[in-house]
Structures are given as structure tokens and as C-alpha cells.
Amino acid sequence: MPLFIENRGVGRISSTAELFDRFPHLQESARTFRSKPLVDVDPKCLLYVQQREFAATTPSDSSVSVIGSDDATTCHLVVLRHTGSGAVCLAHCDGSSTWSEVPLLVKAVSSLSNACKEGRFELHLVGGFNDETKTSHKLSHSILAAFQKQKEDIHLETCCVTELNDIIVDGTHRPIVYGLGVNVKTGDVFPSSFSHKGPAEQLRSARTFTGGKMADVYDSKRGLVTIGPCKWSPNLDIAFWLSQNDDTILKYLSTSPMAEPPHFVQHMKSTIQFLLEHPSSDNLFPGGQPQFYHRTNLGDWERADPS
């Protein structure tokens, strides 16, 4: 079925510019969204999603009240929610395999909504900007096209992407909104940034850095963050980057060097350092089992026994 906007089928589109011309109210709703103040989320109720990850849950989840992600420049943050069940999924998409990733998100929400006869799927897209290589434009278009191919009716509610998420600062294009959260209980979607990006922040970053595919990182039935098992091979050549200056790291390890948040370089260095300290991933996953993390009574994520 096609994507729907205000209950009208979108049909085929060739660009985001065409979409915004045909549905001008999207421009106003994007302006409203990006003007909202950043919401400060208590890390004790947060489930953080890193690049090339997604997580889905329901309002009955006692461990998670907000799913969030940030540090998106050309990347897009995708929220899909079923209004009947309240089941919601958030993904951080970088364009690595959009056509195979979007069905995973639809399936995740559908599987948590099976018992619900009423309601509809609502989609919120945020991210990208007017970058020089048009990476954001291509990703916006491919995500929209992929959702159009799903058999479920998908209703686009928020579309604060690419040219509608762009600002010029000191002559340089940047995103206005880098991150968002979704309230699992209410479905409210809001701009946010996060200082806590765990659990297992470096391990998860290493998985993405070494080419890991989009991964579901949460078992909502058991309230467990689930990481891996991941596979990578020793690569001592990456030590080269630790001797380079910040500008060189930005230039070669980012899709948008002038728009990255201030902590990007340090994040890349710590990820590379982690890979050098763990040249093989095998020892991180004894018996080939994932790492599990559960929420403690104090609200922190703690490593859990695999059994």
C-alpha cells in the first residue's frame, strides 16, 4: 500500500522537494517540531539506540519509558508506532541497507500489536540536512520509498528531514535537530540529546564501525538489552587513526565533517581503541552468546547472566 499523508495516498515521489510541494503542511509541522526545546530525559528510564540499531517495546514495559537516539547528521531517526497497541520502534538509519531495514521495523511493531484490531501505523522521520554530497536527500527518499512498498498502510505524521532540518551556521549547513526521543507510554516524539549512550557503548560502536548490519538491541518481553554476538577480525592498521589530528579524522571518518557534534572525534578514537584492545570479538561473547543487560532497582543497566 502507498504511504499516506492526511489520509491521502502519497504515490510515487522523485524527491523530498516534490513531497513538500505537494504537502505544504509538512513544512509547517517540521518548523513546529524543530522549534521545540530539547527534552532532558532521565537516563534511568531511557533505552538508547545507536547508529544502525533499532529497539521496539510497548507501553506496559516497566524498564523503559523513553527510547532515544542522537548524533544524527546525514543519518535519519525513524519512529514507527501503532496507535492501537501503543507498540513503538525507534531506529537510527544510515543508509547502509534501507530496503532490508524498513521491513524489520514494521515487523517489530506488528509483532507487538498482533492482538490489537484497532489503530494504525504512524511514522515520524527526523534527520539529515542540506549536505554537499546530497547523502541526506538520498536517504530521505529511500526511506520514504521503502515504507511505500510495505503491505501495511503507513501514515506519515512528522517529516523533519533534510532541507526542513537545515540551518546555516557561520556559512556551513548543519542539522537543526540531531536527536529525538519517543515516550513509550504516550507516543509523544520530541527533540532531545543524551549524555548516557549505554549500556556497552564502545562495544556497540565497534559493531557498527566494523560493518555490522542493522540490529534489534532489545528484548521487550524480558526487559533485556541484547548485544551481539558480533564478529570482527584483527585490524592493527586502524591504529593509524589514533596518531592523526582531529581534522583528518573528521575528513575521512565522517559523512559530514563540518556538521558533526563536538564529541565525534573522541568517540571515534575510543571506538578504535576498543577494537585494538579486543582484536577478536570472540572473547566478548563466551560460548557465542549475546551480552545481556537488565535494569537494576537503581535504574542503571547491569550485565545479566545469559541464562
Side-chain angles (χ1 to χ4, degrees), residues 18 107 160:
E18 179 189 342
K107 181 179 179 181
C160 185

Side-chain angles (χ1 to χ4, degrees), residues 46 48-50 70-71 193-202 204 263 267:
L46 170 69
Y48 187 82
V49 170
Q50 292 202 25
D70 63 358
D71 293 346
S193 63
F194 307 95
S195 57
H196 294 77
K197 304 177 192 292
E201 178 182 356
Q202 292 179 328
R204 294 159 71 183
H263 52 267
H267 172 73

